[in-house]
Every structure is written in structure tokens, then in C-alpha cells.
Amino acid sequence: MKTIIKYFIAVLFLCALGCSEDTLDPEITGTITGVVVDEETDEPLAGVVIKTNPTTTTTMTASNGTFTISPIAVDDYSIQAEFDGYTTGFEPASITENNISEVIIELSKNTEDNDPPTVPQLIFPEDGAEDLDLEVQFIWDAEDSDGDEITYLLQLRNGLTQEIQDFEVVQDTFFTVSGLTLATNYFWEVTADDLENDPVTSSISEFTTLTQPDNPFFFTKLEDGNNIIYSGNQGSGANPQLNQNILQLTNAENNSFKPRKNATVNKIAYLRNVGGDTHIFTMNLDGTNKQQVTNAIPLGGFRVEELGFTWAQDGGSIYYPYFDKLYRINVDGSSRTLIYTTPDGSLISEIEIPQFNQDLLLLKTNNFQGYNVRIYTYNTITNAEENIILENVPGAALSIDISADGNRILYSRDIDEAENTNYRIFNARLFEHDIALETTIQIGNDVVAGQNDYQCRYSPSEGGVIFTRQENFPSAVPSVYTLQFGQDDNDKQIFEPGFLPDWE
């Protein structure tokens, strides 16, 4: 009986112990938020697996690269981010009571399994190519098995000056370089970089540019406040290529414009500003051997850009205007001769001479405002006017040319017949006058209202014309066009920007 009582007392004691109050401290927690981004691009990464050490909840980043773990016990953690194609990233985080800890994890791409691009294979120009145009499209080939975007570096070295030009090309395996130098040996190579591996570089290839340009066209471009003369081509085929084989002939330090070629002596005459005057210069077709022709008496008259001059057919002398006077001067600057003076004091703006009659002058005169225009022929043997092409028509007339036989006259005039103090021209059109038939026709169908066609010249065969087309507001960019007669008068743009063209 005593034993039972002792056992009962022991059970009650244990129950008393079990029922006594046991007070435990509550778990202390905080919150962690973060974002995972690409180390190189800063783009957020979605679907990244987020783990902690010590281990807590595992989660994944949302579409904007963010994640949140809450609640998380107060402690110091290492936050781990795992994503296919990237190296695992780690970032420490200290969690404090009821606070939010923020982390940014940047993952870098895993390049251990990323292959570099193939070595670029140079396709064009072929190694050792000769007589290439001064504009070359370089073509190469390379691949990246991982589909990485490749950045190419085309490096071009001038074999004469050793100057190196670098051109960066993204993805494309071709690039066009213009403005190369005549008769020059060039070296080129291409480097491919996928930004994951070391860049790979091609072998070096070389080529030589042509010695003498076969450019039938000459024109002017305005660059950084100065006019510069260029030559160019239009390629082959029915559709001309824009800005083909352009060669710079004059430097950017001088204001040079209005080129005029003479096929007999293969020289170009042109205008250039010297001090406050405008003088005639000559140069070779490739821009070398520049010589000043005029000296004591420069060109003069209404607006320098409106003044014209012309070669004698044999290339030995040049005719040019000085206000109401017309002079002839030898190309070496000697023997300046007064040829003609206008009887009414009007200004001579332009002069042309037909190939087969050096005694016949085609003149354009105007007043000091550029208006009251007369276009007529004058015979230096009889000292008399022969044919009046245009007179008593209001408005501006610009640019003249004459056929080899002296029977057809090409000119431009503003059909709006506007006259204003700014000499603004609104709708200049091209016209051809036939002296024998006494008829005048407008040529060119593609021009629209608000455009000016002017600065016109016959082609060497006289089967077409070259001219400038420009919108009629002052800042408009001019372009050079050609038009072949008998081909529905369809205009072909060959240079842009460009103006004051010549085609001899």
C-alpha cells in the first residue's frame, strides 16, 4: 500500500512539472529583397534561382529580375543566384529585426563553353587586286557558333603615308570606304570580337587603286563653309550609281568652284577666291599642277556664283567677264585682250563659244540686280549681234551653253518671272532654243513645283544634259542630275550634294 501511494505521489509531481508555465522567446525576423541583372548590359534576369546560406527559403526572380524572402530569421547570410549560361553569383546580406535588407546581384556570362568567332576570311578586294576605284566595298566572312553578336574592326592602312583608318562594323560583313587616294597601295585586315572571347584577326590583304581616274563628271560641294571641286562617275548600266568613284581635286582650305574641262589639253579651269577677288585657275584632271591664270583683272559682275567663263577650243586661252567687258587671256596668264564691251553698260555674266566657230560668242547679260536678261550671239568678225535668244522677259535666267555647230542654245530661266531684292528664284526650268527653226522648248518632265533646274550643260555627245536641281529655299541641298534626250526625259540623280556640274 505504501508503494502505491509513493507511485501516485510521483505521478502527481511529474504532472505538476508538466503543467507548469514554460515561457519561450518568439523568433526574430526581417525581410530581404533584391534584383539580379546581367553584369555587362544591366538588363534584369528572370527565372534566376535564389538560395541562402544558412539555408532558408528557395525562390526565383520575377520578370523584372526582383525577388523577396520574408520572413527570414535575423542572421548573416550569403545570397546565391544561379542561372543557366551564367556563373553563380554571391552577395552578402545582414538581416536585422523588422528591417528590409536590399541586395543587387550581377551575373556574368559563363564563357567556358562559348566558342570564339571563326577567323574572318577576306573576300573582296582580292589580295593583289589592281586599278580599284576610289570607293571600295570591303567584303569578308565570319561566323559565331554560339550566335553571339560580332563586332568587326576593319583596319585600312595607306601604304604611302602609313596612315591607318579604323572602321567599326556591327554584325554586317561588308563596309564601303570612299575617298581613297589615286595610285596607292592599301593593306587591310578584319578583327572579329564576340565580347566573350579574345578577338580573332584575319590575314592581311592588299590592293592598289587606279592610277588615272576615268571620271567624266566634275562638280562642286560645299563643305565647312568652302566650296571644293570633285570628279566622279555614274557606274555602268541604265541606273546610275549615286556618288560613284568620287575624287577630291581641290583642298578644303581654298574656296574653289565651277570646274570646266577642256578635252584638247586635258585640263580643268575653275574659279577660286583669292583675297577679295575671284580668279581663274587651271589644274590636271587628277587635281595636280594648279596654276593661277588671271591676276590684275579678276572676274567681276553680278554675284560671283553667277559668273561664267569658257575655254577657247584649242585650250590655249580662256574667255571671262569683268562687269561690262569680256577678256581673253592665255592660260599662262599672258596676253590679256579686251574682246567685247556691252554697248549699254549691262553686265556680262556668262560666255560660251561653239566648237566649230570660234568667232561666235554666246553671251548672257543682265543689270546690277540680275534681271533685264539678254541672251544673244555676237560675231567678233562683223562686230554685230546675230541672234537674240531671250530678251524682254521678266525674272532671272541662269546658265547658258551652246552646241558644237552653234545652232542650239541651252539655258535656264524662272518661269514664275519673279523679281525681288534677294534674287530668289522659284521655278527655274531648262529650255533649248533652235536658231534655225526659231523654236524654244522646255526640257525635263520630272521637275515639280518649288524646284529649280539650272546650271545646265550639254553632254559631250549633245544627246543629253547635266544640271543642278534644288528646292527653292536657301538651305536646300542641291543635287546633280543627267537627262538623256529621247528617253522620256527621265532624270537621273548622280551626285548629292553637288552643284555647278560639268560634263565634257
Side-chain angles (χ1 to χ4, degrees):
M1 184 67 179
K2 290 181 180 179
T3 301
I4 295 174
I5 293 173
K6 289 179 180 178
Y7 176 80
F8 182 74
I9 293 171
V11 170
L12 289 177
F13 177 77
L14 291 175
C15 289
L17 289 177
C19 293
S20 65
E21 184 175 352
D22 185 10
T23 304
L24 297 177
D25 292 333
E27 187 177 30
I28 303 173
T29 64
T31 299
I32 182 170
T33 64
V35 61
V36 182
V37 298
D38 185 294
E39 181 182 48
E40 187 173 314
T41 66
D42 284 333
E43 292 292 323
L45 299 175
V48 179
V49 176
I50 303 298
K51 299 178 181 178
T52 66
N53 187 15
T55 302
T56 60
T57 303
T58 297
T59 187
M60 298 179 70
T61 59
S63 60
N64 61 356
T66 62
F67 67 89
T68 300
I69 300 176
S70 181
I72 182 171
V74 169
D75 203 344
D76 291 330
Y77 293 90
S78 174
I79 310 302
Q80 176 179 316
E82 297 178 345
F83 195 50
D84 287 344
Y86 288 79
T87 58
T88 301
F90 297 90
E91 192 69 27
S94 293
I95 309 302
T96 56
E97 182 178 358
N98 295 327
N99 288 325
I100 299 175
S101 297
E102 298 178 347
V103 295
I104 298 176
I105 305 176
E106 296 178 328
L107 297 187
S108 59
K109 288 185 177 179
N110 187 349
T111 60
E112 292 181 359
D113 299 324
N114 189 287
D115 295 324
T118 59
V119 175
Q121 301 300 307
L122 307 185
I123 298 174
F124 187 86
E126 295 181 359
D127 191 26
E130 297 179 347
D131 294 327
L132 266 66
D133 288 343
L134 304 182
E135 180 178 273
V136 173
Q137 184 181 59
F138 295 88
I139 303 174
W140 61 91
D141 183 52
E143 296 178 354
D144 189 282
S145 59
D146 301 295
D148 297 323
E149 182 178 88
I150 306 178
T151 299
Y152 298 100
L153 179 66
L154 166 63
Q155 191 170 78
L156 182 65
R157 176 167 60 88
N158 184 313
L160 292 178
T161 65
Q162 302 305 315
E163 175 190 6
I164 295 177
Q165 293 177 280
D166 290 336
F167 305 96
E168 186 176 286
V169 185
V170 179
Q171 288 293 90
D172 290 335
T173 55
F174 57 88
F175 187 79
T176 299
V177 178
S178 58
L180 301 180
T181 307
L182 284 172
T184 301
N185 190 220
Y186 283 92
F187 301 86
W188 68 293
E189 64 181 19
V190 174
T191 299
D193 188 355
D194 65 357
L195 303 180
E196 303 292 343
N197 300 274
D198 292 335
V200 290
T201 302
S202 72
S203 60
I204 297 176
S205 183
E206 64 178 299
F207 64 91
T208 304
T209 54
L210 52 85
T211 301
Q212 182 66 34
D214 185 22
N215 286 347
F217 303 110
F218 302 89
F219 64 100
T220 307
K221 290 203 299 183
L222 178 63
E223 297 180 355
D224 297 327
N226 269 346
N227 292 309
I228 302 173
I229 296 174
Y230 288 82
S231 69
N233 212 320
Q234 65 175 353
S236 58
N239 296 314
Q241 300 178 38
L242 189 65
N243 298 329
Q244 179 72 16
N245 204 33
I246 291 177
L247 172 65
Q248 183 175 331
L249 302 181
T250 60
N251 59 49
E253 287 71 37
N254 298 310
N255 191 49
S256 306
F257 55 100
K258 190 163 282 189
R260 290 289 180 263
K261 176 187 173 184
N262 181 278
T264 302
V265 296
N266 271 336
K267 291 276 190 179
I268 300 170
Y270 63 100
L271 301 183
R272 174 176 153 186
N273 292 133
V274 180
D277 295 326
T278 301
H279 287 280
I280 298 174
F281 283 71
T282 61
M283 62 181 168
N284 295 336
L285 300 185
D286 60 0
T288 59
N289 192 29
K290 295 178 174 63
Q291 302 289 331
Q292 185 171 340
V293 178
T294 55
N295 285 284
I297 299 180
L299 273 76
F302 171 74
R303 295 198 173 206
V304 170
E305 65 270 20
E306 301 297 328
L307 300 181
F309 61 94
T310 192
W311 287 89
Q313 183 59 33
D314 62 5
S317 58
I318 294 174
Y319 293 77
Y320 72 97
Y322 183 71
F323 296 96
D324 62 341
K325 296 176 174 56
L326 179 70
Y327 288 95
R328 182 181 64 217
I329 188 170
N330 291 340
V331 291
D332 63 3
S334 65
S335 300
R336 184 183 65 251
T337 305
L338 178 63
I339 301 298
Y340 172 72
T341 303
T342 59
D344 58 356
S346 59
L347 307 180
I348 301 173
S349 289
E350 296 188 66
I351 165 71
E352 293 294 339
I353 303 175
Q355 181 179 356
F356 302 138
N357 186 354
Q358 295 293 289
D359 300 320
L360 186 68
L361 310 178
L362 175 65
L363 298 168
K364 189 195 86 173
T365 64
N366 47 258
N367 60 23
F368 279 88
Q369 289 74 45
Y371 303 118
N372 191 26
V373 175
R374 295 186 76 234
I375 301 176
Y376 59 96
T377 59
Y378 180 86
N379 193 305
T380 58
I381 300 299
T382 63
N383 293 323
E385 293 183 9
E386 288 195 352
N387 297 280
I388 298 174
I389 288 82
L390 181 72
E391 69 174 352
N392 298 324
V393 176
L398 316 96
S399 61
I400 58 174
D401 200 7
I402 189 168
S403 62
D405 62 5
N407 187 57
R408 290 185 297 155
I409 310 298
L410 181 68
Y411 66 94
S412 172
R413 74 175 184 88
D414 187 0
I415 60 176
D416 281 8
E417 300 181 353
E419 296 188 358
N420 51 80
T421 56
N422 294 327
Y423 196 66
R424 181 173 176 181
I425 300 161
F426 292 91
N427 281 292
R429 299 292 182 267
L430 305 183
F431 292 87
E432 187 178 48
H433 178 83
D434 190 302
I435 291 177
L437 299 177
E438 297 184 349
T439 58
T440 302
I441 60 171
Q442 181 179 329
I443 58 177
N445 294 328
D446 292 342
V447 61
V448 299
Q451 291 180 332
N452 290 320
D453 283 357
Y454 62 117
Q455 298 171 354
C456 49
R457 308 280 295 167
Y458 279 118
S459 69
S461 68
E462 299 179 2
V465 296
I466 190 170
F467 61 96
T468 299
R469 174 170 292 166
Q470 184 178 18
E471 302 290 329
N472 67 22
F473 55 92
S475 60
V477 176
S479 297
V480 175
Y481 283 76
T482 60
L483 182 152
Q484 293 292 332
F485 299 140
Q487 296 184 6
D488 299 323
D489 284 354
N490 288 327
D491 308 334
K492 307 291 186 181
Q493 185 184 27
I494 57 174
F495 303 111
E496 182 186 31
F499 58 101
L500 292 171
D502 187 54
W503 185 9
E504 294 292 340

